[in-house]
Amino acid sequence: MELGRKWVQIVIAFLTNGYWGFPFTRTIYQGPLKVVCSPGLNCYSCPASTTYCPIGALQQLMLTMRFNLENAQYFLGWYVVGCIGVVGSFLGRMVCGWACPFGFFQEMLYKIPSRKFGVPRILRFLKYAILAFMVVLLPLFVVNEFGMGSPWFCKFLCPAGTLEAGIPLPIMQPGLRSTIGILFYNKLVILIAFIGWSVMASRPFCRVACPLGAFYALFSRVKLVKLELDLQKCTQCKACHHVCPMGVKFNESPDDAECISCMACMNQACKFDAISLSVGGIPLRAGDIRKPAVSKEV
Amino acid sequence: MKKKKQRMRKAPFIVLGFFLFLFLAGVISGEPSRVLEQSWQICLSCIGIG
């Protein structure tokens, strides 16, 4: 299953970054597919990107909202929120585990041999503040004399944007190099910090700073596809604690907002079939349907 | 043995319906063309250049 998940991550990373004509055109993809929402965090200024980033698009709609409303254009972000809401209703943070190119990048970095550390649980609340302030409120309310705001998250924080667009674009278009300034170096330092942190800790950006992960986390209790815990089968052996890349204690909080449904607990840890994948409350695994309840004796 | 009754959860479908409604409202208001326009342009300040 883990190998299957890796393949899904690779295929989705290639599908959302499938424009390989950029070394010849020296610009980004400008075709009709860019109306399709990328399920994960994937900068749409990336030369290879074929889809739009929901966080980038949402900020753009927020920062131009006053201007648009004054011109009777009622773009309130419904399409973008609708797209990620539909994805979130189905999968929630399963997207982070299976379909986010930046999450995949962090997983690869974590495989580099080094001393490993955890991520303090308290830091997970930061991503909700980033979603509320840097993606919605600041772009909407901090505006210039023309009523236009700034894309705060993309401009000051997003390491995926630096990696996928900030670095390749000046290489492709030498004219852009003269415009590199303090903003670029600030974002480069943030990217390097997250790369270093990802080598030593599992998915630090997803756990601490990702606003898209924060949005999907809101669906943890109501998403259609989710992992379920059978309390009758669970022996509280805590084997699931040791394999979770997000630090979730699944037997204690099966609806944890941090769960990315990577299924490591189900496939690599639980020997009692206590964890199952369900759709709308109906378990998918044949074993859960056919097998009688397992005794709690170990 | 007592057979465990499987119940379909309704909440996910309600939430899904709500976001589908938002999606369609966005489509009707012409937001996709605005999103397309934005995503065709390189946002230099967004990526820390300019």
Side-chain angles (χ1 to χ4, degrees), chain A residues 28 30-31 34-35 45 52 60 68 73 75-79 81-83 85 89-90 151 154-155 165 169-170 179 184 187 219 221-224 226 280 282-283, chain B residues 1 4 6-9 11-13 15-16 19-20 22-23 25-27 29-36 38-50:
Chain A
I28 63 171
Q30 291 174 324
K34 273 244 167 117
V35 78
S45 288
Y52 78 84
Q60 290 292 341
N68 288 337
Q73 292 177 317
F75 302 136
L76 305 174
W78 289 358
Y79 173 70
V81 175
C83 283
S89 311
F90 268 102
C154 297
K155 192 172 178 179
L169 279 175
T179 59
F184 180 79
K187 287 194 66 184
F219 296 87
R221 288 179 186 274
V222 293
K223 61 187 175 182
L224 201 63
K226 63 187 292 195
I282 308 294
Chain B
M1 182 174 290
K4 201 175 170 184
Q6 303 291 348
R7 271 198 169 179
M8 200 72 153
R9 289 186 297 125
F13 296 99
V15 176
L16 183 63
F19 282 102
L20 265 176
L22 272 190
F23 171 80
V27 170
S29 66
E31 225 173 78
S33 57
R34 172 50 63 95
V35 168
L36 201 58
Q38 287 167 350
S39 60
W40 280 348
Q41 292 162 12
I42 300 171
C43 176
L44 292 178
S45 66
C46 299
I47 53 177
I49 305 172

Side-chain angles (χ1 to χ4, degrees), chain A residues 6 9-10 28 54 61 149 151 156 172 183 205 215 239 243 271:
Chain A
K6 284 280 171 287
Q9 286 176 306
I10 291 167
I28 63 171
L61 289 168
F156 298 111
M172 274 172 33
L183 260 181
F205 180 74
F215 180 82
V243 295
K271 295 184 173 123

Side-chain angles (χ1 to χ4, degrees), chain A residues 113-159:
Chain A
S114 75
R115 201 172 160 199
K116 304 298 180 189
F117 299 89
V119 175
R121 293 271 293 169
I122 189 80
L123 292 180
R124 66 189 163 149
F125 296 111
L126 189 61
K127 62 179 172 289
Y128 298 101
I130 289 171
L131 173 65
F133 287 96
M134 295 188 88
V135 177
V136 180
L137 297 176
L138 292 172
L140 193 58
F141 292 113
V142 181
V143 293
N144 61 17
E145 64 269 31
F146 306 109
M148 303 279 275
S150 278
W152 284 70
F153 174 71
C154 297
K155 192 172 178 179
F156 298 111
L157 186 62
C158 184

